[in-house]
Amino acid sequence: MATVDIKGVRKSYSGREVLSAIDLAMGDGELICLLGPSGCGKTTLLRIVAGFIQPDAGQVLVAGDDVTKLPTARRRMGMVFQSYSLFPNMTALDNVCFGPRVAGQKRDVQLARARQLLDMVGLSSHEAKFPHQLSGGQQQRVALARALAVQPQVLLLDEPLSALDAKVRVQLREEIRRIQRETGVTTMLVTHDQEEALSISDRVAVMNGGRLLQVATPAAIYREPADGFVARFIGSGAVFAGQAQGDHVRVADFTLPAHAAAAHPRGEPVEMFIRPEKVQLTPRNGHIPTGALAGEVRETIFLGSLTRVRIAVHGATDLHLWADLASEHAEDFKPGAPVVAQWDASAPRVMKA
Ligand code: ADP
Ligand code: MG
């Protein structure tokens, strides 16, 4: 097992910078998800760690050793990709044995290890099947077992669940997490799916446009997004552009309570961000308390136990707010209903714009 240190890694293609000075330190046994929209550079970074791509600058260290110039085969890394990359003409068992065989291990050692791994991924009874006889989820389990068979120092997974349907995706991500914990292998998993990243990571590394915007625990990413991009990309909520004004934020004609604004100089352009679970809605009947916003329900989205309500703020056509209600209380908040939205002044996060 090993730490991974990515230091000042840069990569350009035809003069266009795809990764700009990435620094990321992974702890021994840690699972980090690289999360970001398509094209932000996740795969490029993962492939630099794997050794498939040479960075233009910077280093990759594994367990303190500089591996930047080492070929992939000498980096002791296990890899799983989005598309099933099993050898089609080999059984599940032979696929898992492949790495140990190439490494020159004895056949009985290979088999014992491969069977143990197939058992770990729940496929013992499928060892004699060929890839085309397995479902997508089963193929990815074999791919995971195969990646672990070489006893890698680092496990690299590039969108391993993206091609699977929703239910299998959730099952398999929990299984990946369990196996990762059991083996203690330092793991980097690339995904564009925020729910996936939040649910299985020790820390999430949010990327956009070739930069790392924030590296933090799922809870910290959710509660304290570093900037407006992270706030918009993770979870849901409203982001308002305005100016700090004491412990309020001035947004259009409104002065909205936000204690966090006090940390910013008066008049500084800021973004105020509030999660839907922090917004309280009440039916509007006349009086509007100070610091509250009057509006109208525009849309409701049923999410099972919760119903998410979008509110258009009165007097500001482009100001929208989201609020989560227990579904049993959502009856009073049909589209068109006049409402008052409020929040505790400690709830909003205020970020420099
Ligand atoms: P992600 O995995 O986050 O979707 P990638 O790392 O695959 O993003 O790609 C990042 C950017 O680099 C994209 O704009 C992509 O088009 C570009 N890119 C990736 N590989 C190459 C390449 N071999 N040649 C030129 N451009 C590339
Ligand atoms: Mg990719």
Side-chain angles (χ1 to χ4, degrees):
M1 302 314 137
T3 55
V4 175
D5 290 289
I6 297 168
K7 292 188 172 173
V9 161
R10 293 176 181 275
K11 185 70 190 175
S12 297
Y13 286 113
S14 327
R16 197 172 67 86
E17 198 167 52
V18 168
L19 292 177
S20 39
I22 302 285
D23 290 300
L24 178 63
M26 299 176 67
D28 187 13
E30 189 175 33
L31 191 158
I32 288 194
C33 279
L34 288 183
L35 173 68
S38 180
C40 73
K42 305 180 297 295
T43 293
T44 304
L45 183 57
L46 183 108
R47 295 178 80 86
I48 285 172
V49 175
F52 292 129
I53 299 175
Q54 272 295 310
D56 298 337
Q59 298 163 298
V60 177
L61 280 68
V62 177
D65 297 329
D66 188 343
V67 300
T68 320
K69 298 278 186 284
L70 278 189
T72 302
R74 290 184 48 205
R75 293 194 187 193
R76 294 200 40 211
M77 295 191 182
M79 270 162 280
V80 178
F81 305 98
Q82 174 180 342
S83 52
Y84 319 125
S85 46
L86 298 177
F87 303 113
N89 55 336
M90 288 184 197
T91 62
L93 186 65
D94 284 335
N95 264 281
V96 181
C97 282
F98 182 79
R101 196 176 83 215
V102 170
Q105 283 183 12
K106 285 199 189 122
R107 183 69 181 162
D108 55 338
V109 177
Q110 289 172 29
L111 286 173
R113 174 86 184 136
R115 289 203 164 104
Q116 184 197 348
L117 286 163
L118 282 173
D119 184 42
M120 190 186 266
V121 299
L123 287 181
S124 288
S125 57
H126 298 275
E127 65 168 55
K129 288 193 178 153
F130 289 89
H132 75 268
Q133 296 170 309
L134 298 167
S135 70
Q138 289 171 332
Q139 289 183 51
Q140 286 304 67
R141 284 166 199 266
V142 176
L144 182 63
R146 188 179 62 177
L148 291 168
V150 295
Q151 290 181 292
Q153 286 190 299
V154 180
L155 182 62
L156 302 172
L157 310 161
D158 192 353
E159 310 247 7
L161 307 172
S162 298
L164 305 174
D165 62 49
K167 197 168 165 206
V168 178
R169 205 156 63 216
V170 172
Q171 276 172 0
L172 196 47
R173 81 180 183 215
E174 282 159 12
E175 206 130 324
I176 286 176
R177 181 51 160 164
R178 173 182 64 77
I179 291 164
Q180 190 270 338
R181 281 209 172 101
E182 275 175 33
T183 55
V185 62
T186 309
T187 300
M188 179 181 275
L189 187 149
V190 163
T191 181
H192 62 270
D193 180 336
Q194 46 123 346
E195 187 194 309
E196 191 171 301
L198 293 177
S199 65
I200 66 169
S201 305
D202 290 307
R203 287 187 299 159
V204 180
V206 185
M207 289 182 72
N208 190 36
R211 293 172 193 280
L212 263 186
L213 303 180
Q214 187 170 15
V215 184
T217 63
I221 293 264
Y222 186 80
R223 285 199 213 108
E224 292 151 25
D227 64 13
F229 177 85
V230 179
R232 287 182 183 90
F233 194 70
I234 307 285
S236 50
V239 184
F240 298 138
Q243 289 94 40
Q245 204 172 85
D247 55 3
H248 287 74
V249 175
R250 184 93 191 144
V251 178
D253 289 335
F254 305 100
T255 304
L256 306 176
H259 285 159
H264 298 262
R266 230 166 229 281
E268 181 175 80
V270 292
E271 287 187 306
M272 187 188 112
F273 167 63
I274 185 156
R275 293 277 181 215
E277 64 270 26
K278 300 287 189 188
V279 176
Q280 289 113 41
L281 279 193
T282 43
R284 174 154 51 91
N285 34 30
H287 176 67
I288 297 158
T290 321
L293 285 175
E296 189 180 290
V297 173
R298 277 297 150 79
E299 181 184 0
T300 61
I301 303 169
F302 180 69
L303 301 172
S305 62
L306 292 177
T307 294
R308 184 156 294 168
V309 180
R310 185 163 64 89
I311 303 116
V313 175
H314 267 225
T317 45
D318 53 351
L319 277 191
H320 291 262
L321 199 61
W322 293 91
D324 283 352
L325 301 173
S327 290
E328 69 218 60
H329 300 135
E331 280 295 294
D332 296 339
F333 300 96
K334 295 251 161 58
V339 291
V340 171
Q342 282 171 282
W343 54 86
D344 192 279
S346 65
R349 182 157 171 84
V350 178
M351 301 159 290
K352 196 167 187 292

